[in-house]
Structure formats: C-alpha cells, structure tokens
Amino acid sequence: MGKATGFKEFARQTPGTEKPEERVKHYREFTKPLAAEDLSKQGARCMDCGIPFCHQGCPVNNIIPDWNDLVYRDRWAEAIAVLHSTNNFPEFTGRICPAPCEASCTLNLEDSPVAIKTIEHAVIERAFADGLVKPEPAKTRTGKNVAVIGAGPAGMAAAQQLARAGHGVVLYEKNAQPGGLLRYGIPDFKLEKTIIERRVAQMQAEGVEFRTNAHVGVTVPVSELHGYDAVVLSGGSEKPRDLPVPGRQLGGIHFAMDFLTQQNRRVSGEPVKGADILATAKKVVVIGGGDTGADCVGTSNRQGAASVTQIEIMPRPPEKEDKLATWPHWPNKLRSSTSHDEGCERRWSVSTVEAVGKDGHVTHLKCVEVDAKFQPVPGTEFTLEADLVLLAMGFVHPVHEGLVDGLGLDKDGRGNVKADTVKYQTSNPKVFAAGDIRRGQSLVVWAIREGRQCARAVDEFLMGTSDLPR
Ligand SMILES: Cc1cc2nc3c(=O)[nH]c(=O)nc-3n(C[C@H](O)[C@H](O)[C@H](O)COP(=O)(O)OP(=O)(O)OC[C@H]3O[C@@H](n4cnc5c(N)ncnc54)[C@H](O)[C@@H]3O)c2cc1C
Ligand code: SF4
C-alpha cells in the first residue's frame, strides 16, 4: 500500500488550471499537471483498503490501489502495465471521466479522496512520453474477420481487443475522423484531438483498418456486412431529445450537437457543414444541465457570447451529500464544471413553455418554475431573452433508420438495440452491440467497458473460447 501514514501526512491535491479569463481565449486543454514528487505523495495517500471500494466503483474495474502504490514508489512502467490491463484508453478517462472511483474512495468519507483520476492521467501521459505505449499486434492470426460499426470509445475498445486476439478488424465510421463523441461532441478544451490520433496510430499498427466516411446503411450497403464472420454495432445513441413547444421551428434554436460539432470541426480544420451556428455577441440559453450543456456553456463563452444562461428542469441538487447515506455510491449533489466557472447563470426547476420570435428568429423563451412532479407553479412564469437556444436535453436512443432497421434487429423498451451484458448478442446471433447504442446515453468509461466485454463475447463466439479479459 502507498505509505501507511500517507493519508494523514499529505493533503489531496489536483492539477491547477489556467485562469478562466485566459483560457476562454483559446480551445486548448488548460490543466497544469502536478510534478512527479507531488504525484508520488498523492499515490502515498492510498490506504489499500481491505475492500477497495474504488475498484468496484470504477466501471472498467481499474486496479487502482496497485497503480497508486507503484506511482508512490516511482515504478511508472509497471503502473502503466497494470492500468492498461483493464483500460484501453486511460488518456480519455483520465481527462473526462466523472470519476465514480473517487466517490467510492474511503477517504471520500472525509471529503478528501485519493486523486485517482489525476494519477491515472499522469500514468498514461508519462507512458506516452517514455515511449511505453507500443503496438501490441497479435502473434497469430485466426483467419476470422469482424466489422465494427462506429469508431467511438466502445467501437475503438472492441476493435483493439479483437485485433489483439488475432482477428481481422475493419472499423467503419461515418465521419471523416474516428473518436465518436470524443472527437465531434466533447470540445478540445476538455480533450484535444491529438490524444485520439496517437491511439488510432497504435491501433492501425496493430492491424485495425479504419474505414472513415463510410456510413453503413446509408453510403455503405448493409449487405456488405454479410461478408464478415461477426459484426459489432457501436454507433452510439445519436437521436437527440427535442423540445416540443410552440415556436420550436424558429431560427436560432439548435440541437447542442450541431453547435458543438461545428466548433470541433473548426478547431480541427475540417470543413463545417451547413450554415454557421455561432454564439458570438448572442444571448445564449442552454436547455439541459448535463455534460453536453456544460460543453455548450464553455464553447459559447469562447465564441464571445453576450450572456450565457443554463436552465434545467430538475431541482437544484444539494451542495453536499449525506455521506453515510450515499457512500460508496455515486451521490446526487451539485456539480459544477470548469465551463461554469468561466461565466454562466444557472437556474433549476425551470420548464420551457414557448419560444417567441420576430421575423422568424427566436428572441425570447417563456418559462415557468416547476414543482417536484414537474408541474408548473402558478405565478412563477418568467421570460428569458435569447437569440441562440441550444437544446442539450440528452439523447433518446440510437438512429434506427439505415443500419439498425436494415439488419432487422430487436430493440428494447427504450428503443436501444437489444442485447444483454453477458453475450452482447443481438437478435441476429452474428451481430453484437456495445456502448450507447445498447445501454443508451452514458459515459466514456462505460463505453470502454462494454467494448472490451463485447470483444471477449465475439471472440468466444468465433473461437469457442477466449483469452481476452472479462
Ligand atoms: C457533448 C457531450 C459531452 C460529453 N461529455 C462526457 C464527459 O465529459 N465524460 C463522459 O464520460 N462522457 C461524456 N459524454 C458521453 C460519452 O461521450 C458517450 O457516452 C460515449 O462517447 C459513448 O461511446 P460510444 O462509442 O458508445 O458512442 P459514440 O461516442 O457516440 O460513437 C459512435 C460512433 O458511431 C458512428 N456511427 C453511428 N452510426 C454509424 C453508421 N451507421 N455507420 C458508421 N458509423 C456510424 C458515429 O459517427 C460515432 O463516431 C458526453 C456526450 C456528449 C454528447
Ligand atoms: S476510469 Fe473513471 S472511475 Fe475508473 S479509475 Fe479512472 S477516473 Fe476512476
């Protein structure tokens, strides 16, 4: 275990950030990594609890106490080997995972969990810097071929595992670049896209063929999939939740992903599709209080919005959780992202009633406060000025037209592709599903877990047995 008395000697420390007024001038990542000696102290704080609740709290079951100890002892090469044994892409989770592990840490009972995510980030960045992230091509080939459809974190994890098991893997992606929501949804200030590209290079060297600009069910016929021994669907949950209120059709009201994707394309130098959606000098209202909404806030501020307001229908969560009632589980509590620190008015328990406009363009939103059952509270009606409204209310299910319906697959009650988490097999035995397309909108760490587990299920299906980790 770290240092027996480490948690008493050293305070929790996480990376500093560039000041909000400076970082809104650019789209780059803005955290300032800790020095190696500070990281060692953070590793030393881990108590290696008899029951490592963090390990259970992490969806990929990262073996956290082991790499905490290795970082404390300056054994970085071993730390990355342990980390990679459970997580294909710690550079993604080390940046953008909400870190349920830290909520589960025993030291969180004292509000000072081990800085697990910070250490994870440092371990993988040091490994890349030291040349330790090398291609791991399979030693033998199986002669089987697998198509993976959708190059987000689930598809990338599945493809990497399947290639390492010796299968021929083609990863189809409808966009020009791989990464899924990591590339086209999540802004560069949370995750720069070179981070995806260096991992893609490793996967290509391991034999994964990336076939981009290939929209299966649209530009690539579904019949092409019949030539493969197995197919993995990892196309995400891309159907956005709409706002069915009068005035929805007005100009200036857009889905969050249309806005975010445009900015990600601009930063990457990719052509922007359609007319520009820009927050510059606009009064922006973001509807929806989750990660997507926060990313709209950060992007709007970088584009120079006149004002940014974020509204959410759920009530304001408590500032602090009741630890003894919630620990080691993920608590409901107020969470603020770095984007909120950059300037944003936040309101909770608010429902949008109508969008009002002039000359076909939105100018106001009529809103009302709601009670715990989302019923309007009489007398609380109010108006918000808005000339750009971004709908960030989540995603309902995957797109059905084209691929999912083209394969004639069963869906679950929520419209996701139906498959369990043991075999990941759909109603077509040769077709498997993982990530948001199966579980609904979720997190990157869950997508990686499902991609890994699905790859093992496919390997077992093809070979009768599998050496891939569960
Ligand atoms: C704006 C935003 C911010 C987020 N922030 C966070 C965060 O901070 N932390 C976090 O953990 N999670 C976050 N999430 C959630 C996270 O990004 C997703 O849960 C995760 O990316 C899902 O991975 P996936 O591989 O299942 O799907 P996706 O990432 O959606 O990837 C699916 C891929 O499949 C492709 N595709 C779809 N259909 C086809 C087809 N027919 N043919 C070819 N290609 C196809 C798509 O183009 C896409 O590239 C965020 C989501 C959004 C929208
Ligand atoms: S992947 Fe997420 S939950 Fe797991 S150790 Fe990393 S930050 Fe924690």
Side-chain angles (χ1 to χ4, degrees):
M1 65 178 284
K3 186 179 183 191
T5 53
F7 71 99
K8 290 206 229 170
E9 287 176 43
F10 310 118
R12 172 180 161 90
Q13 193 184 359
T14 52
T17 57
E18 214 177 304
K19 286 188 182 131
E21 58 273 25
E22 289 303 318
R23 67 193 192 223
V24 291
K25 294 179 189 158
H26 61 78
Y27 287 89
R28 296 185 303 279
E29 291 180 10
F30 50 75
T31 53
K32 298 178 178 168
L34 296 185
E37 66 190 83
D38 292 327
L39 286 159
S40 168
K41 286 180 186 162
Q42 293 306 304
R45 295 186 70 239
C46 179
M47 298 188 287
D48 195 10
C49 312
I51 297 173
F53 294 99
C54 56
H55 171 73
Q56 165 268 323
C58 169
V60 290
N61 300 119
N62 275 339
I63 310 165
I64 297 163
D66 286 24
W67 40 262
N68 280 339
D69 182 58
L70 290 164
V71 167
Y72 165 56
R73 294 176 201 285
D74 203 23
R75 289 160 54 181
W76 292 81
E78 290 159 87
I80 188 56
V82 178
L83 180 50
H84 265 154
S85 73
T86 54
N87 188 352
N88 294 62
F89 312 128
E91 67 275 28
F92 303 158
T93 48
R95 285 175 166 78
I96 57 169
C97 185
C101 54
E102 293 188 12
S104 299
C105 176
T106 306
L107 286 177
N108 187 36
L109 284 165
E110 294 280 344
D111 252 343
S112 62
V114 173
I116 299 169
K117 178 172 155 179
T118 302
I119 296 173
E120 181 179 31
H121 185 189
V123 170
I124 181 62
E125 288 309 316
R126 172 106 175 225
F128 270 109
D130 290 352
L132 296 176
V133 186
K134 297 192 178 110
E136 299 172 33
K139 293 198 174 62
T140 53
R141 313 293 306 167
T142 63
K144 307 277 187 192
N145 289 308
V146 184
V148 180
I149 320 294
M156 285 178 64
Q160 185 164 55
Q161 294 294 94
L162 287 164
R164 288 177 177 178
H167 306 301
V169 180
V170 178
L171 182 42
Y172 290 84
E173 169 54 51
K174 70 172 152 64
N175 284 309
Q177 299 291 339
L181 289 172
L182 300 175
R183 177 174 282 275
Y184 292 102
I186 295 169
D188 282 66
F189 54 81
K190 274 169 63 180
L191 185 120
E192 287 177 14
K193 306 317 167 201
T194 50
I195 304 302
I196 305 169
E197 283 154 17
R198 64 187 181 181
R199 189 59 83 170
V200 166
Q202 183 203 32
M203 291 174 61
Q204 284 170 325
E206 290 169 357
V208 175
E209 184 193 335
F210 285 81
R211 213 169 278 177
T212 52
N213 293 314
H215 195 171
V216 183
V218 180
T219 60
V220 176
V222 170
S223 57
E224 184 168 317
L225 302 179
H226 297 149
Y228 291 91
D229 298 298
V231 174
V232 174
L233 303 187
S234 48
S237 175
E238 295 195 314
K239 184 101 183 153
R241 182 168 285 113
D242 209 339
L243 182 71
V245 296
R248 165 66 182 89
Q249 79 290 348
L250 288 165
I253 305 180
H254 301 275
F255 287 118
M257 271 301 291
D258 293 338
F259 172 69
L260 294 172
T261 301
Q262 280 199 353
Q263 188 54 46
N264 279 340
R265 287 187 200 276
R266 273 183 211 108
V267 175
S268 295
E270 264 190 64
V272 169
K273 293 183 183 165
D276 277 338
I277 307 168
L278 288 166
T280 315
K282 302 227 172 87
K283 297 181 190 99
V284 180
V285 177
V286 179
I287 305 183
D291 279 335
T292 308
D295 291 348
C296 289
V297 170
T299 303
S300 296
N301 278 320
R302 279 165 181 73
Q303 291 183 354
S307 66
V308 185
T309 307
Q310 187 179 25
I311 57 176
E312 163 63 49
I313 198 165
M314 300 294 285
R316 185 186 166 99
E319 294 281 338
K320 222 169 152 354
E321 72 273 35
D322 176 351
K323 299 272 186 205
L324 294 182
T326 59
W327 182 87
H329 302 294
W330 182 246
N332 176 33
K333 69 174 195 180
L334 182 65
R335 293 173 207 280
S336 297
S337 80
T338 50
S339 291
H340 294 120
D341 299 339
E342 292 160 4
C344 167
E345 189 191 342
R346 300 169 80 182
R347 296 186 67 161
W348 286 265
S349 298
V350 171
S351 174
T352 311
V353 179
E354 184 180 349
V356 184
K358 193 176 167 211
D359 301 330
H361 200 281
V362 67
T363 55
H364 293 84
L365 291 181
K366 287 188 181 173
C367 302
V368 66
E369 291 182 11
V370 293
D371 62 18
K373 292 182 177 162
F374 307 122
Q375 296 306 306
V377 178
T380 63
E381 298 80 6
F382 66 98
T383 302
L384 282 177
E385 282 186 278
D387 34 32
L388 176 64
V389 177
L390 299 171
L391 307 179
M393 300 171 299
F395 300 83
V396 283
H397 51 61
V399 172
H400 296 152
E401 301 77 18
L403 180 60
V404 175
D405 286 347
L407 286 166
L409 301 178
D410 288 354
K411 297 166 201 127
D412 67 15
R414 293 182 299 150
N416 298 319
V417 174
K418 193 170 176 185
D420 66 27
T421 53
V422 179
K423 297 200 161 184
Y424 287 89
Q425 208 163 22
T426 68
S427 51
N428 178 334
K430 188 172 130 157
V431 178
F432 298 74
D436 283 8
I437 197 170
R438 192 204 68 78
R439 64 184 289 119
Q441 105 178 88
S442 185
L443 295 172
V444 170
V445 65
W446 280 105
I448 297 171
R449 172 197 169 117
E450 293 216 351
R452 289 172 62 86
Q453 292 190 337
C454 179
R456 185 187 157 98
V458 172
D459 194 29
E460 276 176 346
F461 169 78
L462 294 174
M463 310 302 292
T465 177
S466 177
D467 290 334
L468 290 174
R470 283 181 196 282

